[in-house]
Amino acid sequence: MRQDMQQLRPIYHIAVIAGDGIGPEVTAEARRAVEAAASLEDASIEWFDYPFGAAHYLEKGEILPGLALIEMEDANALLLGAIGSPQVKPGILERGIILALRFYFDQYINLRPAKSLPNVPTPVPLGGKMMDSVVIRENTEDLYMGLGGIYDDGEDCDTVLGLERGGYSLRGKLNLSLSPNMPFGVQAALSTRHGVTRITRYACETAIERGEDRVTIVTKSNAAPALYGFFEDTAKRVIEREYPSLKCEAVNVDALCYHLVRDPLAYGVLLCPNLFGDIVSDLQAALAGGMGAAASANIGRRLSMFEPVHGSAPDIAGTGRANPIAAILSGALLLRHLKLEKSAGAVEKAVNKYLESSPKNELPFEFGGEFSCREVGGAILKRI
Ligand code: NAD
Ligand code: IPM
Ligand code: MN
């Protein structure tokens, strides 16, 4: 953060990757909201735009250069829209940009609150109550490590592995052969004591901050004991030793999905390995009212990144039907991360006020209304 020398106003530097599909549409609205809210605390924002995404990749062949990562590190936060396009094979940009950012900056916490909003219909009736749950997703390990490959012409898998994480490096070899020979794909998952311990501590701190007395570990130790059994046992040990006041329960992810749909209010803090956290957060988003309202933060000790839970939604890109609330509320999480609490609160209150006071036709398409992405953004901005 710099200061404006004439007015002594703090200036925050925010890197932006608007990305693909509806990414630029929703990010534009998040920027307007963040700027207006920051000015309430006399802070100003300087944006640094990066062009990465499908169009840039198709035109220049570049995904996310190392130099950009080094430059971004000086920013106070990173705002991301969405990455991924039907014109690019799945995985190239998603791994090359989103996961690369999470891993490079060691953003080991993926915070995904699921809160129902006023006047927003939910697919499962909540009996007049509001959903308020949170997925705490481990963000650097599990099946997301990128260990493995596709071996499709009868060759053996004989790969040297090497990667860096905050806290450790991994070196080794994956050597597999099939008899008879046939094409195969393999992707190894890893869970470490370091990785599980740090995310469990964050989940426990979150539960305490929320005034709750329990953490739910989302697991699948019955089918994958080496991976999820390890995660579950390690997390349990951390909770028992370091947070004796908290109860800890483990629920298999399949049963969790069942329970969640029958009672979306049944859980508070859901501590998830990377893959389950991804899947459960989309389910939670749907239960709370819609993908277009689900915000998220990728937090670490270095640069943190704020982005909606949703993707580039190519099915509605360019139609104006994207709901920008998820991106705007991710902007609120960004402001809170900058310790601009009043500004963060102002954004959240403005979203609530807009939803409470608007007639149905002025709601986003996703909530049964007719307001475009820009109009929803404008209506919220007016209330900030
Ligand atoms: P998606 O989240 O883009 O879309 C799922 C459904 O939700 C679609 O019907 C879409 O129209 C709807 N939706 C999403 N955001 C919305 C919004 N703001 N307002 C209204 N409706 C919204 O998931 P997908 O279809 O699996 O993925 C599309 C692309 O995005 C793929 O390339 C995928 O890899 C990528 N992706 C990126 C991210 C990210 O950037 N963080 C996250 C998920 C998916
Ligand atoms: C998300 C996305 C990403 C993930 C993809 C695009 C790699 O689905 O942020 O939820 O799986 O984490
Ligand atoms: Mn996802």
Side-chain angles (χ1 to χ4, degrees):
M1 193 226 316
R2 279 193 300 125
Q3 281 198 331
D4 180 322
M5 291 321 282
Q6 261 124 48
Q7 299 167 33
L8 289 178
R9 281 156 56 105
I11 303 175
Y12 292 90
H13 289 182
I14 311 293
V16 186
I17 302 177
D20 302 319
I22 63 169
E25 303 167 33
V26 297
T27 305
E29 301 317 312
R31 280 168 79 136
R32 293 208 286 166
V34 165
E35 235 166 56
S39 74
L40 300 175
E41 287 186 74
D42 236 8
S44 56
I45 308 282
E46 242 177 76
W47 303 98
F48 294 85
D49 281 283
Y50 289 89
F52 309 120
H56 184 77
Y57 172 65
L58 292 171
E59 193 192 322
K60 307 251 169 115
E62 181 177 72
I63 300 178
L64 176 65
L67 260 182
L69 289 170
I70 293 168
E71 198 180 277
M72 276 176 201
E73 180 120 41
D74 290 335
N76 297 108
L78 167 60
L79 179 68
L80 185 134
I83 298 291
S85 156
Q87 287 170 281
V88 181
K89 198 167 179 288
I92 294 178
L93 300 174
E94 293 89 338
R95 288 203 69 86
I97 299 176
I98 302 174
L99 300 189
L101 287 162
R102 290 177 186 162
F103 298 160
Y104 180 82
F105 293 115
D106 197 30
Q107 297 163 347
Y108 67 97
I109 301 156
N110 192 192
L111 173 72
R112 298 191 152 183
K115 281 190 179 177
S116 37
L117 293 162
N119 259 335
V120 174
T122 58
V124 179
L126 301 178
K129 298 201 178 112
M130 301 292 268
M131 187 170 166
D132 179 10
S133 162
V134 62
V135 165
I136 307 290
R137 171 188 184 194
E138 199 292 318
N139 219 19
T140 62
E141 299 192 327
D142 200 15
L143 206 58
Y144 278 65
M145 302 284 289
L147 304 171
I150 296 174
Y151 301 86
D152 54 7
D153 48 12
E155 75 220 273
D156 286 351
C157 157
D158 188 5
T159 314
V160 175
L161 308 174
L163 51 80
E164 303 299 325
R165 285 290 180 275
Y168 62 92
S169 20
L170 176 90
R171 298 277 173 273
K173 257 186 120 183
L174 195 60
N175 193 330
L176 304 166
S177 65
L178 276 187
S179 174
N181 267 347
M182 68 185 93
F184 68 99
V186 56
Q187 187 128 23
L190 183 83
S191 192
T192 65
R193 187 176 67 182
H194 168 76
V196 182
T197 301
R198 61 183 184 169
I199 195 66
T200 302
R201 288 183 180 144
Y202 186 83
C204 292
E205 300 294 338
T206 305
I208 292 167
E209 212 170 275
R210 288 164 55 91
E212 289 166 10
D213 65 354
R214 115 195 120 130
V215 167
T216 304
I217 305 168
V218 180
T219 185
K220 191 66 191 160
S221 50
N222 54 356
L227 183 64
Y228 298 123
F230 175 84
F231 187 104
E232 182 184 322
D233 291 346
T234 307
K236 271 187 181 155
R237 208 165 303 136
V238 171
I239 298 172
E240 279 161 14
R241 284 191 189 156
E242 299 182 22
Y243 300 90
S245 67
L246 291 176
K247 287 193 276 275
C248 126
E249 62 180 358
V251 183
N252 287 315
V253 65
D254 45 354
L256 175 89
C257 292
Y258 170 80
H259 291 309
L260 264 179
V261 170
R262 291 177 62 98
D263 181 8
L265 305 176
Y267 298 96
V269 174
L270 292 167
L271 168 60
C272 298
N274 210 337
L275 181 66
F276 301 157
D278 177 46
I279 298 166
V280 169
S281 55
D282 272 32
L283 174 57
Q284 294 257 71
L287 292 168
M291 284 299 280
S296 94
N298 301 270
I299 303 169
R301 291 187 205 291
R302 296 166 62 191
L303 180 72
S304 293
M305 170 166 84
F306 300 82
E307 53 162 350
V309 168
H310 64 70
S312 56
D315 53 340
I316 54 168
T319 65
R321 298 175 79 97
N323 183 356
I325 292 179
I328 291 171
L329 290 175
S330 302
L333 295 176
L334 184 155
L335 288 163
R336 185 159 291 128
H337 182 74
L338 299 179
K339 307 232 175 323
L340 297 174
E341 180 56 42
K342 191 175 150 210
S343 312
V347 173
E348 289 162 349
K349 268 187 222 123
V351 168
N352 281 342
K353 264 195 243 153
Y354 154 66
L355 292 168
E356 270 160 16
S357 60
S358 298
K360 188 156 183 213
N361 68 312
E362 291 181 14
L363 295 177
F365 282 92
E366 190 184 30
F367 301 157
E370 292 164 22
F371 255 27
S372 69
C373 184
R374 184 79 183 160
E375 287 170 319
V376 174
I380 293 168
L381 186 65
K382 207 166 71 184
R383 289 161 172 94
I384 295 175

